[in-house]
Amino acid sequence: MAGILDSVDQRTQLVGENRLEILMFRLSGRQLFAINVFKVQEVLQMPKLTLMPQRHPYVCGVVNLRGQTLPVIDLSQAIGMRPLVPDERSTIIVTEYNRSVQAFLVGGVDRILNLNWESILPPPGGAGRQHYLTAITKVDDKLVEIIDVEKVLAEIVPYNAKVSADRLADPLLEQVRGREVLLVDDSSVALAQLRETLTQLGLKIHTASDGLKGLNQLKKWADAGEVMTDKLLMVFTDAEMPEMDGYRLTTEIRQDPRLRDLYVVLHTSLSGSFNDAMVKKVGCDDFLSKFQPDKLVDVIRDRLLRGAAGT
C-alpha cells in the first residue's frame, strides 16, 4: 500500500475549497465504506498481533509499529456487522483521532477518491449500522457509507465531558452565563460532548449538523436584524461535514459583512501543525482538538479576554 496516501502539503490545497479525499474500503461484505484521508497515517499489512487479557470485545489485540503500541479495532464488529478474522494477510488502517493513534482492521482497501463536500449527504435515519455513519455518497453508482469513527471510539473508551472544579471556579466565567453559542458538527457524539461541557458554564446552546445548516441559521438570525456579535459569544465548528465543511463555513462567515466579526473556533478530531496552518488560512480565531473539556473552557476564557481587550 506504499504511496496510497498523498502528502499533507498536497492535501491542504483542498482546504477552503469544500473538497475532501476519502479512503474507501470493505469490511466483511461487498459494501463500500470510507473515512477521511486526513485522519489516515498509513495502510499496511497486519504486523504481529498480540492478544490482551480483558480487552474490549471490539479490540482484536495490539501491534507494535516502530516502537509504538497500537490497539487494533475490528471496525466491522464495532459497527454491528460480522466480525473479521485477523491473520498475517489482513489489512489495517492506522489513524489519528483526537490525539490518539489506533489501527482499524478492515477487509481490504479499495482506493482514494477526491470529492466535493456537496456530494456528501447526511445518512438516512434507521437502525443498525446507520447509527455509525456521519454521511453517505455515491461512487460509480455504488453507495459509500462514511463511518462516524468518533462514535466507534467513544464506545470503546468513553469521553470525559466534565470540567474540573478549578476551571469552573474562575470568576471570569460568570460573564458567559446566559450567553449563546452555535455548535456545528455532524457527529452526534461530538455534539453531545460539547453540549454537556458547555452547559456546565450556563451557556445557551444552538446546534447544526453540517456547515450549510449552520450558515443558513446564521443568515436567518442576521436577516431578522440580530447583531451577530451580540447574539452569539462564539461559533464552534467541526472541520469535516456533509454539504459544507468547517473551513468553507468559516470562509463564508468572513465574507458576509453581517457575520464576519463572529468568533469562530475550529473544534475537530484532526490535530497537529496541519490545522494550525489551516486556521490561519481560512480565518478561524482558534483551534481545539476534540474531547478536552478543560481546554475548551480555556478557549472560552481566551475569547472573553480578547473581547475585553477589543481584539
Side-chain angles (χ1 to χ4, degrees):
M1 301 305 298
I4 192 169
L5 301 179
D6 295 331
S7 72
V8 168
D9 287 341
Q10 290 173 314
R11 299 204 305 274
T12 56
Q13 301 307 310
L14 304 176
V15 172
E17 303 300 324
N18 210 40
R19 300 192 67 82
L20 81 157
E21 285 182 319
I22 57 172
L23 173 62
M24 297 191 297
F25 53 88
R26 289 181 171 83
L27 295 174
S28 56
R30 298 178 61 84
Q31 173 61 43
L32 283 168
F33 296 90
I35 58 176
N36 194 317
V37 168
F38 281 160
K39 306 291 183 64
V40 178
Q41 290 190 350
E42 58 185 314
V43 178
L44 68 157
Q45 202 167 1
M46 174 83 80
K48 177 178 171 54
L49 183 69
T50 302
L51 302 182
M52 298 185 305
Q54 299 180 327
R55 64 186 184 274
H56 190 281
Y58 301 160
V59 177
C60 307
V62 298
V63 295
N64 187 283
L65 193 61
R66 291 182 293 278
Q68 186 176 19
T69 301
L70 306 179
V72 178
I73 298 166
D74 182 346
L75 194 51
S76 183
Q77 185 177 9
I79 66 171
M81 297 177 63
R82 177 167 49 86
L84 296 168
V85 179
D87 60 31
E88 67 278 0
R89 296 168 297 175
S90 297
T91 299
I92 59 171
I93 302 173
V94 180
T95 67
E96 181 178 359
Y97 283 82
N98 306 320
R99 309 167 317 285
S100 70
V101 179
Q102 54 282 309
F104 290 106
L105 175 67
V106 298
V109 166
D110 184 86
R111 56 184 153 143
I112 283 177
L113 201 63
N114 185 313
L115 298 171
N116 192 302
W117 272 112
E118 293 171 357
S119 67
I120 309 295
L121 303 174
R129 68 169 183 259
Q130 302 298 334
H131 293 303
Y132 293 93
L133 306 180
T134 56
I136 59 172
T137 191
K138 277 197 171 182
V139 176
D140 300 331
D141 292 325
K142 295 179 181 177
L143 184 69
V144 179
E145 300 181 353
I146 300 175
I147 293 177
D148 186 351
V149 177
E150 290 171 5
K151 180 173 176 61
V152 171
L153 295 175
E155 292 184 352
I156 298 171
V157 182
Y159 293 117
N160 174 31
K162 187 173 177 59
V163 180
S164 63
D166 63 316
R167 292 297 204 288
L168 288 176
D170 187 342
L172 184 64
L173 295 177
E174 286 298 320
Q175 297 180 27
V176 307
R177 293 198 174 274
R179 294 296 306 272
E180 300 176 47
V181 294
L182 176 64
L183 317 179
V184 188
D185 202 305
D186 62 331
S187 170
S188 60
V189 170
L191 282 177
Q193 182 269 342
L194 269 175
R195 183 186 294 276
E196 187 176 343
T197 298
L198 296 176
T199 51
Q200 294 171 62
L201 307 181
L203 285 158
K204 181 180 178 182
I205 295 166
H206 306 275
T207 64
S209 59
D210 63 58
L212 184 58
K213 290 185 178 70
L215 182 62
N216 288 340
Q217 179 61 70
L218 291 171
K219 289 186 174 182
K220 182 179 178 181
W221 283 326
D223 290 343
E226 298 272 12
V227 178
M228 295 309 298
T229 49
D230 293 339
K231 170 73 176 175
L232 294 177
L233 177 68
M234 56 209 306
V235 176
F236 290 93
T237 179
D238 188 19
E240 309 166 33
M241 294 176 287
E243 298 198 79
M244 180 183 289
D245 66 20
Y247 304 113
R248 186 65 195 175
L249 170 62
T250 305
T251 299
E252 294 288 337
I253 287 172
R254 297 302 181 224
Q255 291 177 349
D256 188 324
R258 304 169 302 169
L259 309 177
R260 65 186 176 198
D261 293 328
L262 282 168
Y263 197 92
V264 180
V265 177
L266 191 68
H267 183 246
T268 172
S269 52
L270 296 169
S271 59
S273 58
F274 164 75
N275 263 307
D276 294 336
M278 292 310 101
V279 163
K280 295 176 182 177
K281 180 175 178 180
V282 301
C284 291
D285 294 287
D286 211 336
F287 160 75
L288 178 67
S289 293
K290 285 182 178 177
F291 308 120
Q292 302 182 88
D294 279 359
K295 289 191 176 182
L296 184 62
V297 173
D298 291 343
V299 166
I300 294 171
R301 192 175 185 280
D302 288 345
R303 163 71 180 103
L304 294 173
L305 292 172
R306 287 197 202 183
T311 58

